[in-house]
Amino acid sequence: MKTEKKIKYNLVVGILSQVVTLLLGIIVPKLILTNYGSEVNGLLSSVTNIYAYIAIVEAGIAAAACQALYKSIAQNNRNSTSAILSATNKYYHKTGFIYLGLVLAFSIIYPIVINTDIPYITVVLVILFNGFGNVVNYFFHGKYLILLRADGKNYIRTGLELFTNAFKQIAKIVFISLGYDVVFVQFVAMLASFAQMLYITYYIKKHYSWINLKADPDKSAISQSKHVFVHEINYLITSNIATVLLTIFSTLKKVSVYAMYALLFDMINKVLRTVKESLEFKIAHVFHTDKNAFLKLYRTFEVYIITFSFALFTIANFFVLPFLSLYTKGVTDINYIDKYLPFLFVFINLLSAGRYPFDAMVHISGHFKQTQNSAILESVINIATSIVLIQFFGIYGAFFGTIISSLYRTNYLILYVNKRIIGRSPVGTYKIWGINFIIYIFIMFVSRYIVVKLDSYIRIFAFCVPYALVVLSLYFVVVSLCEPQSFSYVLNIAKNLFKKGLVKQNTLSEENING
């Protein structure tokens, strides 16, 4: 399959998957809140985040294997690809048993240490059913998901996740509405993981029958996994530490408040990650084959992924409070509306999503060891400052700690990637950040004077469409005027795609006439 089609499928299927997940995903937490209460909602959020930490047994191998596969696939070296997957498969089998042991230990210990009125056995079963799906991934199809990503076929995985997530969410909606308890709901959701495993195995055997998992494992190809491990641990800490610290130093109800805001912003992040992963394989292949073409492609990717991130979070900034006011209406055990939290979430997510291009370059180039010390320092700063600041500022303290550490890490990556990997000045990167930040401030200032009644989901949606179009257009036009070379690159791609479409249409017309 041609690269252009892979990119198109990755983007279309990935974004469609996120839209469906968003529409169904906003229904389930509402039902959990109204049927089970904020404490159960906080429990589910807390368990999900702690599982992110337990996943450290996988940390490193996925990114290291993917980075190695980028090169072997770009060079069409099937023997090397099989050797890398053989080594990856052995690693997943070994760590699968470790993961299973951690799941069992978590289910026994966690219900004892948390402060909750939820029955012990309920917490145990919720933890087990949340974890068994990941156990399946370790033993059966984890290695295959890495292969699909490296080969630019992420759309296969995301398409499957579209159906399995839809099944999970619809099943949850149905059974919660029918009055089933939370344990049964989690059990039904777990079954989707088994269906996903069966299909992925079938697809790989059909389309990659040449893969030999018994080949001599190329352990050297994934030797960087120990360095990637450091980066993965850092990501887990920075993205989940707020929930964990609030669980320890606060209550599950406070965790529930944090989770409601995080739910909406995480969905935007998933869309941005979908765009990043849809293009990353192409950037990686060009990086390993044509450095001049790479520089033009990467600059365009950097400019527009940062701009797209700013635009989406600007839109979210305006609508999050009206939406949550409706969403949590009738929930009286804790107040979910806080006018400061949207700005804090936006700031944190901009620092996180805005460094996607630089994370991608560390990944593609394999500079894991060289950048691991900065990852360690970011985690140390985050944990230390968050623990201290939570004592003084409560939930805000968790944000302040993450912002301080993210400012350090993002600036480090901007400087390192530009100077050490690409070999250029970082001024261009800071320029695009500055332009987008000025646009953000301008839009937020103007939005203060927009008076519109957003007291229903229909009104929110009706106003969101024109507001989003204006915001997206303003960001795109201003940035394109300031970055004419990147705009020209995008314009040429659009022209080529249009010409190909015309050629294909004319060919079909001629065939019909001749036929």
Side-chain angles (χ1 to χ4, degrees):
M1 181 183 293
K2 292 183 178 180
T3 299
E4 290 80 3
K5 285 189 175 181
K6 289 181 180 180
I7 294 174
K8 180 175 71 174
Y9 291 161
N10 284 335
L11 287 171
V12 172
V13 177
I15 294 175
L16 177 63
S17 176
Q18 296 307 326
V19 170
V20 173
T21 301
L22 169 64
L23 294 176
L24 294 173
I26 60 177
I27 299 174
V28 174
K30 172 68 172 179
L31 289 173
I32 291 173
L33 283 171
T34 54
N35 286 271
Y36 304 136
S38 293
E39 194 166 18
V40 170
N41 187 56
L43 169 68
L44 294 175
S45 175
S46 179
V47 168
T48 299
N49 279 278
I50 290 175
Y51 265 124
Y53 283 97
I54 293 179
I56 60 173
V57 296
E58 181 191 19
I61 187 62
C66 188
Q67 191 270 333
L69 286 170
Y70 278 144
K71 187 173 183 179
S72 69
I73 291 174
Q75 297 174 348
N76 197 28
N77 190 333
R78 290 188 171 185
N79 290 332
S80 176
T81 299
S82 290
I84 294 167
L85 287 173
S86 175
T88 306
N89 185 47
K90 290 181 181 297
Y91 184 94
Y92 267 105
H93 278 186
K94 180 175 66 176
T95 56
F97 289 104
I98 299 174
Y99 189 90
L100 178 60
L102 291 173
V103 168
L104 296 174
F106 177 34
S107 66
I108 295 170
I109 299 171
Y110 186 72
I112 298 174
V113 300
I114 61 171
N115 179 23
T116 180
D117 294 326
I118 302 172
Y120 177 87
I121 189 63
T122 298
V123 180
V124 169
L125 292 176
V126 165
I127 292 171
L128 289 177
F129 293 149
N130 263 280
F132 282 155
N134 292 330
V135 173
V136 170
N137 173 68
Y138 275 89
F139 282 106
F140 295 100
H141 63 261
K143 55 189 173 292
Y144 295 140
L145 296 178
I146 298 171
L147 171 65
L148 292 174
R149 179 181 174 185
D151 197 23
K153 292 186 176 181
N154 227 26
Y155 62 89
I156 299 297
R157 187 199 72 186
T158 51
L160 183 58
E161 287 178 351
L162 169 62
F163 289 103
T164 54
N165 286 335
F167 169 80
K168 285 181 182 180
Q169 303 295 3
I170 292 172
K172 287 180 179 180
I173 292 168
V174 170
F175 289 115
I176 292 174
S177 300
L178 291 175
Y180 284 83
D181 64 24
V182 67
V183 173
F184 182 79
V185 171
Q186 293 302 120
F187 171 76
V188 174
M190 179 191 69
L191 297 179
S193 298
F194 293 94
Q196 182 172 325
M197 177 268 294
L198 292 174
Y199 180 80
I200 289 292
T201 304
Y202 160 78
Y203 183 88
I204 293 296
K205 287 185 177 180
K206 180 178 180 180
H207 296 277
Y208 295 87
S209 57
W210 49 268
I211 290 176
N212 178 19
L213 293 178
K214 294 182 179 179
D216 291 335
D218 185 1
K219 295 181 180 179
S220 63
I222 59 173
S223 61
Q224 287 224 65
S225 61
K226 59 181 177 293
H227 303 301
V228 182
F229 178 84
V230 175
H231 290 267
E232 295 290 339
I233 294 296
N234 172 62
Y235 173 77
L236 291 173
I237 291 174
T238 54
S239 58
N240 296 285
I241 192 64
T243 301
V244 174
L245 291 178
L246 288 173
T247 302
I248 296 171
F249 295 106
S250 187
T251 66
L252 288 178
K253 289 182 180 179
K254 285 288 186 181
V255 174
S256 181
V257 173
Y258 181 90
M260 282 295 96
Y261 287 86
L263 171 70
L264 301 176
F265 286 96
D266 284 348
M267 288 178 179
I268 296 174
N269 259 318
K270 287 178 181 177
V271 171
L272 292 169
R273 280 197 295 270
T274 296
V275 175
K276 167 183 169 286
E277 292 175 1
S278 298
L279 299 170
E280 187 175 308
F281 85 97
K282 171 64 176 178
I283 297 170
H285 292 179
V286 176
F287 177 78
H288 289 294
T289 56
D290 188 340
K291 290 299 174 69
N292 290 327
F294 159 76
L295 291 173
K296 296 178 182 178
L297 173 61
Y298 179 76
R299 177 56 181 170
T300 304
F301 170 69
E302 175 191 24
V303 166
Y304 286 106
I305 194 69
I306 292 174
T307 301
F308 191 46
S309 300
F310 267 88
L312 291 185
F313 287 119
T314 300
I315 296 166
N317 204 156
F318 185 84
F319 288 97
V320 63
L321 286 184
F323 177 82
L324 280 177
S325 296
L326 286 170
Y327 193 75
T328 59
K329 188 176 181 180
V331 180
T332 58
D333 53 0
I334 192 169
N335 181 30
Y336 282 84
I337 305 305
D338 187 315
K339 64 180 180 180
Y340 299 113
L341 289 183
F343 290 98
L344 292 171
F345 266 103
V346 165
F347 200 10
I348 286 174
N349 281 282
L350 283 176
L351 288 171
S352 175
R355 70 189 192 199
Y356 280 165
F358 318 110
D359 285 331
M361 279 313 305
V362 170
H363 184 191
I364 291 169
S365 63
H367 282 229
F368 300 112
K369 182 179 180 180
Q370 297 92 324
T371 57
Q372 68 181 14
N373 288 338
S374 69
I376 295 171
L377 186 54
E378 180 185 18
S379 294
V380 172
I381 294 172
N382 197 326
I383 295 172
T385 55
S386 294
I387 290 175
V388 172
L389 294 174
I390 282 176
Q391 312 305 317
F392 295 97
F393 303 103
I395 192 172
Y396 302 134
F399 287 93
F400 297 153
T402 302
I403 288 171
I404 292 169
S405 63
S406 293
L407 281 170
Y408 157 72
R409 173 72 169 169
T410 300
N411 277 283
Y412 172 85
L413 286 174
I414 289 173
L415 295 171
Y416 183 89
V417 169
N418 277 291
K419 292 182 177 181
R420 301 290 183 85
I421 299 178
I422 301 177
R424 67 179 187 185
S425 169
V427 172
T429 298
Y430 284 116
K431 171 190 168 185
I432 199 64
W433 271 83
I435 292 169
N436 278 289
F437 195 66
I438 291 171
I439 299 170
Y440 168 75
I441 293 174
F442 172 76
I443 293 174
M444 286 296 98
F445 177 78
V446 173
S447 295
R448 291 176 57 190
Y449 299 96
I450 297 176
V451 180
V452 58
K453 196 174 183 180
L454 302 175
D455 56 355
S456 71
Y457 292 118
I458 294 176
R459 286 178 181 270
I460 289 176
F461 179 77
F463 187 67
C464 182
V465 173
Y467 184 89
L469 289 174
V470 170
V471 169
L472 287 166
S473 299
L474 182 61
Y475 271 104
F476 182 78
V477 170
V478 173
V479 169
S480 295
L481 289 173
C482 296
E483 288 286 331
Q485 290 184 335
S486 295
F487 175 68
S488 177
Y489 190 92
V490 170
L491 196 61
N492 286 334
I493 292 175
K495 287 179 180 178
N496 290 334
L497 290 175
F498 181 72
K499 287 179 181 179
K500 288 181 180 179
L502 286 178
V503 171
K504 184 176 181 180
Q505 187 177 11
N506 291 334
T507 302
L508 291 173
S509 299
E510 290 175 4
E511 289 177 353
N512 290 332
I513 293 172
N514 294 332

